[in-house]
């Protein structure tokens, strides 16, 4: 199974999200852990060790878990000196692009009604269940679905734009 | 896990982002999104959304037909500040033309901030409503007095007084 650049890029993004979730967004070694996981996965795939290549999620997640565990053990045994933490450049996008994303997020937020904001805050920040939210705001489940759908559609657009900017930034970076 | 139902999916995503899934459910969700572009996009969109909700500085609530605006943490209504940008974006719809703005957490204001207050006031008056401000700090009250904006913007010591002036209890 030969993966295209787009597929590898997509896998890398997903893996980065998982690693960030486990190690925290400020961990300086997220990219290293992602790279090691990708390398092991591609090697396993070439050696035909993936039982269900059509559904690689569980295998990929398992490899990533192992690399995260090894990383944690290594950091626990051999903590990096503080100057090491500044060594890694962050994969951040440029300031102008960051501003564009912030504007896009602000625009998406401004389109949300007050009540929608409260409903979404209860779900995404306060961890309330759908039943609790519907009861508290006196809204039917169908309305909750509409609120979620509208808000998520707007933020999905922002996310897609962010991915495009990151990809463009990487190309610019690789040219120079 | 079922991800076809949007509410079930968003509930899992919210719990994942808040670290409230147990290890088994976390593993199941991660294994799923690593192979599912759609759910991964939903996760990333939810993360952006929850970050934006967390950063929201201008809280809103309704007391009858009055919209109460209050900064959730200390704020500066000065050129280029996020709080000013948020205030500029918050022009209420015509159904919320009565607004009380709590200024107790505003530590500084400049001409851009004053301009924004007047823009909000004009917008609401045109919609046959009103803007009233509550609890400005002493330096802020001095600026409002010096610029004579206090002769236009009704100022109250607390929310209850502002609500009473709208005929609410």
């Amino acid at each position: 199974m030969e993966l295209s650049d787009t597929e590898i890029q997509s896998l890398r993004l997903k893996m980065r999200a998982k690693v960030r979730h486990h190690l925290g967004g400020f961990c300086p070694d997220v990219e290293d852990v992602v790279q090691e996981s990708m390398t092991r996965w591609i090697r396993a795939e070439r050696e035909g060790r993936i039982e269900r290549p059509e559904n690689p999620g569980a295998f990929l997640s398992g490899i990533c878990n192992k690399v995260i565990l090894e990383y944690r053990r290594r950091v626990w045994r051999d903590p990096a000196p503080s100057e090491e933490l500044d060594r890694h450049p962050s994969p951040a996008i440029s300031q102008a692009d960051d501003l564009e994303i912030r504007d896009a997020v602000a625009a998406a937020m401004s389109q949300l009604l007050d009540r929608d904001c409260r409903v979404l805050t209860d779900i995404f920040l306060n961890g309330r269940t759908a039943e609790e939210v519907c009861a508290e705001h006196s809204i039917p489940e169908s309305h909750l679905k509409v609120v979620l759908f509208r808000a998520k559609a707007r933020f999905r657009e922002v996310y897609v734009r962010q991915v495009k900017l990151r990809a463009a930034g990487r190309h610019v970076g690789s040219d120079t | 896990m079922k991800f076809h139902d949007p509410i079930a999916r968003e509930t899992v995503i919210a719990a994942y982002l808040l670290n409230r899934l147990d290890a088994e459910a976390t593993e199941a969700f991660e294994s799923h999104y690593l192979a599912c572009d759609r759910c991964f996009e939903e996760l990333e969109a939810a993360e952006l959304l929850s970050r934006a909700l967390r950063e929201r500085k201008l809280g809103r609530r309704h007391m009858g037909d009055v919209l109460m605006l209050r900064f959730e943490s200390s704020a500066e209504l000065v050129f280029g500040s996020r709080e000013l940008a948020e205030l500029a974006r918050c022009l209420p719809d015509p159904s919320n033309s009565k607004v009380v703005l709590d200024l107790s957490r505003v530590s500084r204001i400049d001409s851009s901030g004053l301009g924004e207050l007047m823009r909000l006031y004009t917008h609401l008056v045109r919609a046959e409503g009103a803007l009233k401000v509550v609890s400005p700090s002493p330096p802020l009250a001095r600026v409002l007095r010096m610029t004579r904006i206090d002769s236009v913007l009704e100022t109250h010591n607390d929310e209850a007084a502002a609500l009473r002036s709208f005929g609410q209890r």
Side-chain angles (χ1 to χ4, degrees):
Chain A
M1 184 177 67
E2 198 63 37
L3 288 175
S4 67
D5 282 354
T6 317
E7 285 168 322
I8 289 179
Q9 189 51 38
S10 163
L11 265 182
R12 190 182 287 279
L13 281 176
K14 290 172 182 171
M15 203 99 85
R16 190 180 294 143
K18 176 178 161 79
V19 174
R20 263 201 342 250
H21 182 76
H22 288 274
L23 296 181
F26 292 103
C27 172
D29 297 317
V30 167
E31 290 305 312
D32 290 351
V33 174
V34 170
Q35 184 58 40
E36 178 61 21
S37 305
M38 288 293 288
T39 307
R40 289 189 194 185
W41 184 73
I42 289 170
R43 199 183 302 139
E45 195 268 323
R46 281 187 184 151
E47 291 168 2
R49 285 191 281 122
I50 304 176
E51 281 183 21
R52 292 174 61 204
E54 73 283 1
N55 186 12
F59 193 86
L60 205 51
S61 185
I63 287 179
C64 202
N65 287 342
K66 198 156 186 282
V67 177
I68 289 171
L69 195 67
E70 287 172 9
Y71 171 78
R72 282 197 169 129
R73 275 197 203 122
R74 184 163 58 82
V75 169
W76 183 74
R77 264 199 325 259
D78 182 22
S82 56
E83 63 266 25
E84 277 280 287
L85 299 177
D86 303 328
R87 171 173 59 92
H88 299 261
S90 74
I93 52 182
S94 73
Q95 271 190 334
D97 290 346
D98 188 42
L99 210 59
E100 188 178 330
I101 292 299
R102 278 183 169 275
D103 281 350
V105 167
M109 279 300 284
S110 69
Q111 287 168 7
L112 294 180
L113 299 173
D114 296 340
R115 187 170 74 169
D116 293 358
C117 265
R118 289 198 298 275
V119 166
L120 294 165
T121 300
D122 273 349
I123 291 177
F124 289 104
L125 299 188
N126 301 333
R128 301 258 177 86
T129 63
E131 293 80 26
E132 288 169 343
V133 171
C134 287
E136 189 170 326
H137 296 275
S138 312
I139 53 171
E141 198 178 283
S142 56
H143 182 76
L144 180 60
K145 276 186 187 169
V146 172
V147 170
L148 278 171
F149 180 81
R150 275 203 215 125
K152 291 300 294 293
R154 288 180 190 129
F155 278 85
R156 214 179 305 121
E157 279 173 23
V158 177
Y159 168 67
V160 169
R161 196 189 300 185
Q162 190 180 39
V163 170
K164 280 184 187 158
L165 285 172
R166 279 185 197 279
R170 213 176 338 268
H171 286 307
V172 170
S174 59
D175 289 346
T176 51
Chain B
M1 276 187 200
K2 302 282 177 217
F3 297 106
H4 306 298
D5 175 43
I7 291 189
R9 184 180 57 211
E10 295 307 326
T11 305
V12 171
I13 288 176
Y16 178 73
L17 290 175
L18 292 168
N19 267 322
R20 289 186 180 178
L21 288 182
D22 60 29
E24 195 181 333
T26 299
E27 182 57 30
F29 180 52
E30 288 175 342
S31 297
H32 176 79
Y33 78 63
L34 281 169
C36 174
D37 290 343
R38 178 66 203 266
C39 283
F40 180 66
E41 263 191 19
E42 294 296 342
L43 170 68
E44 292 294 276
E47 195 172 7
L48 273 176
L49 170 60
S50 54
R51 207 181 311 148
L53 287 168
R54 200 171 288 127
E55 286 180 357
R56 202 166 74 114
K57 293 205 82 174
L58 194 58
R60 302 155 188 228
R61 66 196 160 90
H62 290 269
M63 301 289 281
D65 60 346
V66 180
L67 173 64
M68 315 288 290
L69 297 176
R70 183 173 197 252
F71 290 99
E72 306 288 356
S73 54
S74 69
E76 293 189 342
L77 293 180
V78 296
F79 178 74
S81 74
R82 202 150 51 94
E83 301 88 286
L84 185 62
E86 204 170 329
L87 186 65
R89 283 196 306 269
C90 85
L91 285 185
D93 56 48
S95 62
N96 292 136
S97 58
K98 295 177 182 172
V99 175
V100 171
L101 175 63
D102 187 331
L103 294 175
S104 59
R105 289 175 171 166
V106 176
S107 56
R108 255 180 355 129
I109 192 164
D110 68 359
S111 57
S112 301
L114 293 170
E116 200 49 55
L117 282 184
M118 292 316 295
R119 195 172 76 97
L120 186 58
Y121 169 80
T122 312
H123 172 83
L124 293 170
V125 168
R126 278 194 191 137
E128 297 180 358
L131 171 67
K132 303 189 179 187
V133 297
V134 161
S135 317
S137 61
L140 208 65
R142 198 164 53 240
V143 173
L144 295 178
R145 206 166 41 246
M146 278 165 55
T147 53
R148 305 222 168 160
I149 285 178
D150 65 344
S151 63
V152 182
L153 279 185
E154 209 176 299
T155 306
H156 295 273
N157 289 334
D158 53 46
E159 280 186 356
L163 278 173
R164 273 198 302 277
S165 72
F166 274 123
Q168 298 224 357
R169 292 188 155 265

